[in-house]
Amino acid sequence: MASEPLAASDPAASRPATSGAEPDTVLVVDFGAQYAQLIARRVREARVYSEIVPHTMPAAEILAKNPKAIILSGGPSSVYAEDAPSIDRALFEAGVPVLGLCYGFQLMARSLGGTVDNTGGREYGRTDLSVVKRGSTLFEGTPGEQQVWMSHGDACSAAPEGFTVTAATSLVPVAAFEDDDRKLYGVQHHPEVMHSTYGQQVLEHFLYRGAGLDPSWTTTSIVDEQVALIRDQVGSKRAICGLSGGVDSAVAAALVQKAIGAQLTCVYVDHGLMRKGETEQVEKDFVAATGVQLKVVDAADRFLDALEGVSDPEQKRKIIGREFIRVFEQAQAELVAEAGAAGEDVAFLVQGTLYPDVVESGGGSGTANIKSHHNVGGLPDDLEFQLVEPLRKLFKDEVRMVGQELGLPEEIVQRQPFPGPGLGIRIVGAVTRERLDLLREADAIAREELTAAGLDRDIWQCPVVLLADVRSVGVQGDGRTYGHPVVLRPVSSEDAMTADWSRLPYDVLSRVSTRITNEVRDVNRVVLDITSKPPGTIEWE
């Protein structure tokens, strides 16, 4: 696992601070593509570090990042439209290897004197590609005829001077070209999507053969680099981390613990809304695996009192977020007071921010005074901590790999995403201790059966929802019952922005239903949610 290829991530994630060098970086210039993050992920799968930058970034700033290669993404525009995104020709003249994909390919062609126009022919979806120059830099070792994924209405009809045409389709005479002398390459299709059969090989040929990069960005390098960066940032001061029980905060805490040891204290707020066994996992398994100092705050009664009689989901979220802030603030004040008495300074707050959070929020400097914390619901403005965000350059699957590298238990590393408000928003209706216990048991059964069937890696998550304000008629033990329905919501997704319902085997669904209705008192009906996102959300509330 130490050198397992990474699957996806983001900027500045691992800088070989141990040697003082930075990893070779590939910049993905985003022209509004739906696949920009996927391109970065595919580059990282090739064990080369990648970042995404907007096409509006000036060429001088792009080159100042010292990229070892640049990939121009696709996009929805026509290159000859009046307001089409453009790029400075200087990028093609800087000596940095460049690969253009779809719109980026057309932009390169037009910028360097080629011809791009609307030929009247369009190619969307699976398309047959003919490689007309076998053994080229990009297509070496791939078949002469291969399937690719196209999505374009314009086409390149003439390559710029100095380029060799390497592929074509029945409608497009120039579907790929190469200029090895200037290290400029382009393909009309999307090699980053799985429907392009040899797409990953084409990308790797650009990285390894065209740009001369080495596949050296691994989980081991990330851990080593981040440990050095954290030590340099924190120095001799102390840090605190709010553990949520989720993967991100656990891996972030484990990384910081490896770097600064006893200088880190983690705070776990038990709000009584966790799934069965998860609080015990944090208290025992996580501590055993990392040796971290953990402060556990039992606040279940406080949260349940505050939620009493509240059914509105937004109000429940606000109450849970508010109480979490207050409890966490009280815990950190106690830690700061204890540290102050010992002559120490608690100056840093560890946060499990991931790369998609950075991209979607428009970037970020990495270290700043905290004003809000998406993991805990928003901390007060007057909390003056500097952020330690060791995961801010990683995608979720990379975070899991780093967690495995650090030796965290599989139950923590592979845990399904879980909402901050916990089971409080998986109860449709008011939250009570009895309803929480009922839902916990039903949820535990569903998770046990999915694990037993080997389906944990096949689904993104499977929320179990209790319809507390709904009663359904049933027959159990030759008697009429009037119990609650529970909803199974298995979904498949890469990033939770969109999702589809998971087609679980009928025998697994049958076992889950039978066990829940047999073993969980007051539940007499199990239903399956088969709604995609959109239109539905993953959570019900």
Side-chain angles (χ1 to χ4, degrees), residues 184-267:
L184 301 178
Y185 307 88
V187 296
Q188 178 61 67
H189 66 276
H190 289 277
E192 70 274 18
V193 304
M194 64 179 182
H195 306 297
S196 293
T197 312
Y198 295 90
Q200 185 66 16
Q201 195 168 336
V202 167
L203 284 174
E204 290 180 1
H205 281 344
F206 167 69
L207 298 171
Y208 304 154
R209 304 179 70 206
L213 299 174
D214 293 323
S216 59
W217 199 62
T218 65
T219 50
T220 299
S221 71
I222 290 176
V223 171
D224 292 343
E225 292 152 6
Q226 286 301 319
V227 163
L229 287 172
I230 293 163
R231 286 173 179 165
D232 182 63
Q233 181 185 2
V234 177
S236 61
K237 296 180 180 180
R238 289 184 57 184
I240 61 174
C241 176
L243 279 179
S244 67
V247 177
D248 304 338
S249 65
V251 175
L255 257 179
V256 176
Q257 164 69 15
K258 183 176 178 66
I260 63 174
Q263 293 167 243
L264 172 70
T265 300
C266 290
V267 177

Side-chain angles (χ1 to χ4, degrees), residues 2 67 129 164 197 289 320 330 354:
L129 181 78
T164 299
T197 312
I320 294 168
Q330 181 179 340
L354 303 190

Side-chain angles (χ1 to χ4, degrees), residues 149-171:
W149 187 261
M150 291 283 196
S151 181
H152 69 96
D154 302 329
C156 179
S157 55
E161 184 177 352
F163 282 80
T164 299
V165 177
T166 56
T169 72
S170 59
L171 294 178

Side-chain angles (χ1 to χ4, degrees), residues 323-346:
E323 295 302 318
F324 193 104
I325 292 168
R326 290 177 178 172
V327 173
F328 187 84
E329 184 178 15
Q330 181 179 340
Q332 66 84 179
E334 293 171 359
L335 290 174
V336 169
E338 293 168 5
E344 300 172 327
D345 182 13
V346 181

